[in-house]
Amino acid sequence: MARPCTPSLAAALLCLVIISGERFLPQCAGCTRDDRRALLDIQSFLSEHLPSNYWDSSIRDCCQWRDVTCDSRTGRVTGLDLDAFPYPPASPLNTSLFLPLEELQSLSLKNVGINGCMPGAGFEIWSKLTKLKVLDLSGNMLNDSIITSLVALSTIRSLFLNYTALSSAVTIQQLSTMKLETLDLSDNAINGTISTGICNMEILQELHLNDNMLFGELPSCIGNLTSLRVLDLSNNLLRVKLPSPSFAKFTSLVKLSLSNNHLEGVLFLSSLSNNRQLTHLELASSGNDFQLQTENPATDMSAQLQVLVLRNCNLNGNSAVIPRFLLHQHSLDLIDMSNNNLGGYFPSWLIENNVNLSYLILRGNSFSGPLFPPPKVHINLQWLDASCNKLSKLTMEINVSLPNLQYLNLSDNSFQGVFPSSFNNMVSRVGVDLSSNNFLDDIGAAFKMIGIANLILSRNNFYGSLPQELPPHFSHLVLNDNKITGKIPESICFNIFLTVLDFSNNNLIGSLPTCIYALPLLVILNLKGNSLVGSIPSEICHLNRLIFLDVSRNNLSGPIPCLPNVQYLHLSENQFNGTFPLSLGTDIYTIDLQGNQFSGILPRLMFKAFPKLQIMLLERNMFEGMIPNDICHLKCLRLLDLSHNKLSGKLPSCLSNIGSDDESFNFQYSDRNITSIFLMFPVSSYQDLLAQYTKFISQPDQEEFMTKSRKDYYKGNMLNYMSGLDFSSNQLKGSIPESIGDMKWLRALNFSANYFDGSIPQSLSNLSDLESLDLSHNNLAGQIPSELAALRSLEVFSVAYNNLSGPTPGIKGQFITFDQSSYEGNPYLCGPPLLSCSEAPSVPELEENKEDDKVDDIILFGCSAMFYMVGFWTSMGVLYFKTSWRWSWFSVVDRFSDCVMAKLAIYTRKIRGAN
């Protein structure tokens, strides 16, 4: 018989439970002491990465802390979701701090700023966390070296490595050995082809490879991934041939995105009719080799789609027919059928059919006539883009029919006349873009809209003055290329959230408001092409976020104030004076000072102070002196115009170092201040919509440069392909250095109207991309190198008015296109298109020796005359002061003359006697 429990034994057991129950007994609530301590250690380690007091230690139960998930039965931490965005400092991670969290199943360290692991504590340590299945390291500065340690985590089923600076396609091959259900490698720089190893991931359900630089074709074995529910390959350089047998095997697909790749072939949408679970279909080709057929045969889509992107798909052979299967789709949240030549009246029935529709994008089609409203009020539509069509009339009250519309883009249509009254009292938190239409009205009518944060009315015919009391809620105000007059109202300074201000190419007068310093978020200020006077107020120095400033083509004057953070500076065609402005930031990319009154020498300091400078245009100023050798430090420079100044001396021998850094040459707005513009808008679930926000940024960097004998404007991506040097119309001398042939990036080269001598460098034939070469009006001699005929891209060529001789390159290559004007002023040149070399005058021999003889004759004559004059007057002086010498001299002369006269008389008589 068992002995009953005595009171002393029961008491002992109770004490044991009280003392150690937290360790040994399951709990109904509250985390364990070990997990709590581990979390506090993690917070202490990441204190520079996480917001202050991320976890409140005064709350004892860590299961109540933010981003912490616990098991309700055991109280152990099972999930940890940290996110320290934006831009925490980067440092290595101590992975061993997480080992006490033995029950951890999901770990997210998204955007916490780690750039690797501490020595001896790599990611492979987490293999001890045997229940860890979900790992999110996205948004950190990792690289391909961490992949080996991650492969050791055999329990991981979902791995997120997007935004982690991966670059090697081998990464995909290495990760293919893991038993993953979800793999996200999106938004990296992975360059290469997709490895066939990915076909071994047979349990893979989600594959995100979008937004990389993958190229080539898809592996044919990708059809082995029959469990795939999500396949996102968008925004790469892949060649995808459709229809593909592989896609026919993906019967469980929920999302298929091939947008912005090079799609090829003809795809019948009916082939996807059996994908009953499909909710996201995104097809958008970056080329013109793809056609999507929806009508023959007619598509009977059994699935109810939520997202449909059919952009640039040559829908039904550009027949202008809207796909009829859309009549039976009623769950769409987003529709994008841009650039398909769809025609007829605006399909308002798409809005009516889909009560949940939030985004409708039909830009770049041929819809005409009025913009019809939906028959009923639609409360969910937030984004309507019907730009680049032929719409001509607005028949609906926007604020009534679409009360929650946040973004409306009707730019590049045929609207005309007065500003539509239907826009009156329109309320929008994002923006309205009505640019590139033919509205003709007082600009004040456009400001009757309420709460518009971003207003774009550029390239219309608005006139009149801006209201003196501008609304204070603008973020972007873009009114360029109209006929607006008057002054810039001081009330503009009350828009403290203003980031983009563009009043360019109007008729504004007056001066820049000095209160401009009150716009702390201003990033872009464009006032070019007006009639503004005065100087740039010194208060502009306080605009720490200003990176783009363009006040060119005004009547501004005075010196340039400090502009510490400006990256794109345009001051051309004004009356600014003083020396070269050095009070600029080191991150500047563009300096345009053309057509002003700057003077003095080019300071040596400027070339070291601006290491990122890509464009420097100083044409038509009064700079003088020599070009310093320090100019060779500008290794990112690709457009340099020093023409029409007073520069003298020889070219630096190191000139070929300019522009030698190819990797840094890219004309893109890359500053975080530009990115911050986009962060002010609501984040869209549709990634491609972010590209639409670039419309809110005014014209990209635009440069004027003389090439091919004319001035052209280059902007946007075209600047990536334009490069040149222009030193014309100065007083430079010496020879053109042979090293100029090493500047293989050159497309335009102009050394005309100087005093260069010597021969034309043969090395110029190495400039294979050269399109314009002007060496006219110099003192160059010798022959034109025949090797220049190898310049296949040359469109403009001139060596006129030099001292060249010998044959022209004739009819070789591009030179067959050049006429006599390219060679005139060189009398000893011959060959096509000039006289044949047998008919042309030959170069006179010993021309240089004859010139030397003339000089010698002049010297001899001068010396003889000098000696004669000195000897004659010296003799006369001696005879005048020395009487005895004078009598002796005259007696000698008398005797000599008597003798001569006697002989002459005798000779005369003999001649007469003979006759």
Side-chain angles (χ1 to χ4, degrees):
M1 180 176 180
R3 199 172 78 174
C5 181
T6 63
S8 58
L9 180 60
L13 289 173
L14 180 61
C15 291
L16 182 62
V17 169
I18 294 173
I19 294 173
S20 58
E22 193 175 54
R23 274 185 181 275
F24 299 105
L25 294 180
Q27 298 181 353
C28 296
C31 65
T32 65
R33 183 188 308 166
D34 289 345
D35 284 2
R36 187 176 191 276
R37 185 184 300 115
L39 291 178
L40 291 175
D41 288 343
I42 293 170
Q43 177 179 244
S44 177
F45 181 81
L46 298 176
S47 58
E48 294 185 5
H49 304 254
L50 300 175
S52 58
N53 198 24
Y54 190 76
W55 287 321
D56 188 354
S57 58
S58 65
I59 301 175
R60 182 166 180 78
D61 184 6
C62 66
C63 293
Q64 298 181 26
W65 292 352
R66 61 186 290 189
D67 302 330
V68 176
T69 304
C70 296
D71 185 285
S72 60
R73 185 179 62 84
T74 65
R76 298 302 302 271
V77 173
T78 58
L80 190 57
D81 185 2
L82 306 182
D83 189 341
F85 183 80
Y87 314 124
S91 62
L93 179 67
N94 184 355
T95 55
S96 62
L97 295 175
F98 296 83
L99 294 183
L101 305 176
E102 297 172 347
E103 298 295 318
L104 196 63
Q105 300 175 22
S106 175
L107 174 59
S108 174
L109 298 177
K110 186 177 181 180
N111 300 313
V112 296
I114 57 176
N115 60 1
C117 298
M118 297 182 68
F123 291 118
E124 67 276 1
I125 287 182
W126 286 347
S127 61
K128 298 178 181 180
L129 300 175
T130 57
K131 296 186 178 182
L132 187 63
K133 294 183 178 181
V134 179
L135 179 58
D136 188 346
L137 298 174
S138 59
N140 291 288
M141 294 302 295
L142 307 174
N143 54 49
D144 301 290
S145 62
I146 58 104
I147 300 300
T148 304
S149 60
L150 287 175
V151 170
L153 306 182
S154 60
T155 62
I156 297 294
R157 294 296 175 263
S158 297
L159 181 61
F160 300 88
L161 295 173
N162 46 309
Y163 286 109
T164 50
L166 301 176
S167 60
S168 174
V170 178
T171 296
I172 302 175
Q173 172 71 29
Q174 293 173 307
L175 293 175
S176 66
T177 61
M178 300 179 71
K179 296 180 179 180
L180 294 176
E181 296 175 357
T182 300
L183 175 60
D184 190 343
L185 298 176
S186 62
D187 294 282
N188 282 290
I190 300 176
N191 191 326
T193 58
I194 298 177
S195 167
T196 56
I198 204 168
C199 303
N200 300 324
M201 305 178 75
E202 295 181 355
I203 65 171
L204 195 65
Q205 296 181 21
E206 293 191 24
L207 178 59
H208 302 266
L209 298 178
N210 52 290
D211 294 276
N212 281 285
M213 293 186 288
L214 296 168
F215 57 85
E217 297 184 5
L218 290 177
S220 58
C221 62
I222 199 171
N224 296 347
L225 307 181
T226 55
S227 298
L228 269 183
R229 293 174 54 81
V230 175
L231 177 60
D232 192 344
L233 303 174
S234 60
N235 300 310
N236 279 286
L237 305 171
L238 295 167
R239 288 180 62 231
V240 183
K241 295 182 179 181
L242 296 171
S244 170
S246 299
F247 294 138
K249 300 178 182 179
F250 300 148
T251 56
S252 301
L253 274 181
V254 174
K255 177 180 179 179
L256 174 62
S257 180
L258 303 176
S259 298
N260 300 329
N261 285 284
H262 192 89
L263 308 184
E264 299 178 355
V266 178
L267 176 66
F268 294 93
L269 194 59
S270 57
S271 63
L272 299 178
S273 296
N274 293 328
N275 292 79
R276 300 180 182 277
Q277 302 180 58
L278 193 65
T279 61
H280 290 65
L281 177 60
E282 302 176 15
L283 303 174
S285 180
S286 58
N288 297 313
D289 300 323
F290 175 63
Q291 182 181 142
L292 182 66
Q293 281 287 345
T294 66
E295 307 308 309
N296 295 309
T299 300
D300 182 17
M301 185 68 70
S302 57
Q304 284 293 308
L305 300 173
Q306 297 175 16
V307 172
L308 177 64
V309 178
L310 304 178
R311 187 173 60 250
N312 194 37
C313 289
N314 289 317
L315 267 178
N316 302 309
N318 281 332
S319 62
V321 175
I322 298 177
R324 292 184 178 89
F325 80 92
L326 291 175
L327 290 167
H328 308 290
Q329 292 288 319
H330 304 286
S331 301
L332 284 164
D333 175 68
L334 182 147
I335 302 174
D336 184 354
M337 293 192 293
S338 303
N339 303 322
N340 282 299
N341 195 39
L342 301 176
Y345 286 128
F346 180 81
S348 57
W349 55 268
L350 285 173
I351 304 175
E352 180 185 3
N353 272 17
N354 297 276
V355 295
N356 296 318
L357 190 66
S358 298
Y359 304 97
L360 178 59
I361 306 169
L362 299 172
R363 69 189 318 265
N365 285 291
S366 298
F367 294 117
S368 59
L371 182 62
F372 288 113
K376 297 180 181 180
V377 174
H378 196 289
I379 62 173
N380 289 317
L381 194 67
Q382 302 176 38
W383 190 288
L384 175 58
D385 186 346
S387 59
C388 302
N389 279 280
K390 301 175 182 179
L391 300 171
S392 58
K393 187 177 181 181
L394 193 66
T395 62
M396 63 177 170
E397 294 286 341
I398 295 291
N399 58 324
V400 175
S401 301
L402 305 172
N404 295 315
L405 193 65
Q406 295 188 16
Y407 174 66
L408 175 66
N409 189 347
L410 299 178
S411 62
D412 290 280
N413 275 285
S414 301
F415 295 109
Q416 56 188 339
V418 298
F419 193 76
S421 60
S422 58
F423 284 132
N424 291 352
N425 302 317
M426 179 181 173
V427 179
S428 171
R429 294 187 299 276
V430 177
V432 173
D433 187 349
L434 301 175
S435 59
S436 298
N437 281 286
N438 294 306
F439 289 116
L440 178 62
D441 203 349
D442 191 292
I443 189 61
F447 289 92
K448 294 180 180 179
M449 292 182 286
I450 302 173
I452 303 296
N454 305 281
L455 180 60
I456 304 179
L457 301 176
S458 52
R459 296 179 294 280
N460 278 283
N461 294 301
F462 288 105
Y463 57 85
S465 301
L466 293 167
Q468 288 303 306
E469 299 298 327
L470 287 173
H473 43 62
F474 287 115
S475 174
H476 299 71
L477 185 55
V478 181
L479 308 177
N480 59 286
D481 293 273
N482 281 286
K483 300 175 182 178
I484 303 172
T485 57
K487 297 182 178 181
I488 301 174
E490 294 277 340
S491 60
I492 193 70
C493 301
F494 296 127
N495 285 268
I496 60 173
F497 297 107
L498 193 65
T499 57
V500 175
L501 178 61
D502 189 345
F503 290 166
S504 60
N505 299 320
N506 280 286
N507 299 310
L508 297 173
I509 60 173
S511 57
L512 275 69
T514 55
C515 66
I516 199 169
Y517 71 91
L519 302 174
L521 301 180
L522 193 64
V523 175
I524 295 176
L525 177 59
N526 192 345
L527 300 174
K528 72 176 179 181
N530 284 285
S531 299
L532 301 173
V533 296
S535 59
I536 299 177
S538 59
E539 288 82 0
I540 203 170
C541 297
H542 301 296
L543 299 179
N544 293 326
R545 297 196 179 192
L546 186 67
I547 67 171
F548 185 100
L549 175 63
D550 191 343
V551 292
S552 55
R553 301 205 323 266
N554 280 282
N555 295 314
L556 298 170
S557 58
I560 307 304
C562 61
L563 297 166
N565 296 308
V566 167
Q567 297 180 11
Y568 305 91
L569 179 63
H570 299 264
L571 306 177
S572 63
E573 308 299 335
N574 280 284
Q575 300 172 29
F576 293 116
N577 53 34
T579 57
F580 185 92
L582 288 174
S583 55
L584 305 174
T586 57
D587 288 334
I588 196 162
Y589 295 97
T590 297
I591 298 177
D592 184 355
L593 308 180
Q594 298 179 92
N596 281 284
Q597 299 173 15
F598 291 105
S599 59
I601 63 172
L602 297 177
R604 297 175 58 186
L605 176 63
M606 68 182 251
F607 301 113
K608 294 182 179 179
F610 310 132
K612 299 180 181 179
L613 193 64
Q614 297 178 347
I615 297 175
M616 184 165 65
L617 308 176
L618 308 181
E619 178 203 6
R620 287 179 291 117
N621 280 282
M622 295 181 286
F623 291 112
E624 58 188 3
M626 299 182 65
I627 300 174
N629 286 333
D630 298 75
I631 197 173
C632 302
H633 291 288
L634 300 179
K635 295 187 178 181
C636 299
L637 196 69
R638 288 298 181 90
L639 276 179
L640 175 61
D641 190 346
L642 300 178
S643 64
H644 296 275
N645 280 282
K646 299 179 181 179
L647 300 172
S648 57
K650 296 182 178 181
L651 291 177
S653 58
C654 59
L655 197 64
S656 59
N657 289 341
I658 292 177
S660 57
D661 189 351
D662 290 331
E663 296 181 0
S664 299
F665 189 70
N666 186 18
F667 286 95
Q668 300 287 338
Y669 288 113
S670 58
D671 192 89
R672 279 182 178 171
N673 286 331
I674 287 292
T675 305
S676 69
I677 293 176
F678 302 139
L679 296 179
M680 299 179 67
F681 299 113
V683 177
S684 170
S685 60
Y686 180 44
Q687 188 176 14
D688 287 343
L689 285 180
L690 292 178
Q692 299 290 335
Y693 284 123
T694 59
K695 189 75 173 182
F696 287 131
I697 296 182
S698 58
Q699 289 292 328
D701 203 21
Q702 177 173 284
E703 311 301 340
E704 186 180 21
F705 188 76
M706 174 72 78
T707 179
K708 302 179 185 178
S709 302
R710 66 179 186 271
K711 274 205 167 185
D712 287 322
Y713 283 99
Y714 301 90
K715 65 181 181 179
N717 288 332
M718 284 302 298
L719 284 172
N720 289 323
Y721 304 102
M722 187 56 214
S723 56
L725 299 180
D726 192 343
F727 291 167
S728 63
S729 299
N730 279 285
Q731 301 167 18
L732 300 170
K733 62 181 181 179
S735 59
I736 299 174
E738 281 282 343
S739 61
I740 203 82
D742 295 331
M743 305 175 77
K744 296 183 179 181
W745 47 269
L746 276 176
R747 292 182 181 271
L749 182 61
N750 192 345
F751 285 160
S752 65
N754 280 285
Y755 299 102
F756 290 116
D757 55 23
S759 59
I760 297 175
Q762 177 182 330
S763 63
L764 293 181
S765 61
N766 297 331
L767 307 179
S768 56
D769 293 330
L770 198 65
E771 299 174 0
S772 177
L773 175 61
D774 192 347
L775 305 176
S776 62
H777 296 275
N778 280 287
N779 297 319
L780 299 171
Q783 294 188 358
I784 301 174
S786 60
E787 291 81 0
L788 296 186
L791 299 177
R792 302 296 183 185
S793 300
L794 203 61
E795 296 181 25
V796 173
F797 173 75
S798 179
V799 292
Y801 298 100
N802 280 282
N803 298 316
L804 299 170
S805 58
T808 66
I811 57 175
K812 299 176 182 177
Q814 287 292 102
F815 283 85
I816 194 173
T817 64
F818 304 136
D819 57 23
Q820 295 184 12
S821 61
S822 297
Y823 306 100
E824 62 186 355
N826 293 280
Y828 302 114
L829 277 178
C830 60
L834 307 174
L835 295 174
S836 66
C837 291
S838 60
E839 299 173 345
S842 58
V843 181
E845 296 181 3
L846 302 177
E847 187 77 22
E848 295 182 358
N849 293 336
K850 290 185 178 180
E851 291 292 332
D852 293 341
D853 291 343
K854 290 181 181 179
V855 174
D856 293 342
D857 291 342
I858 292 172
I859 294 174
L860 179 61
F861 177 79
C863 292
S864 300
M866 182 181 67
F867 285 125
Y868 173 79
M869 296 297 293
V870 171
F872 175 78
W873 288 111
T874 300
S875 300
M876 291 299 101
V878 171
L879 294 178
Y880 178 78
F881 291 105
K882 194 73 173 177
T883 306
S884 59
W885 286 24
R886 185 168 62 249
W887 284 109
S888 300
W889 170 255
F890 285 133
S891 59
V892 170
V893 172
D894 285 342
R895 288 197 298 272
F896 179 75
S897 60
D898 289 344
C899 180
V900 171
M901 293 301 292
K903 289 186 177 182
L904 181 59
I906 294 172
Y907 181 71
T908 302
R909 286 182 180 179
K910 286 182 177 180
I911 292 175
R912 288 178 179 175
N915 292 334

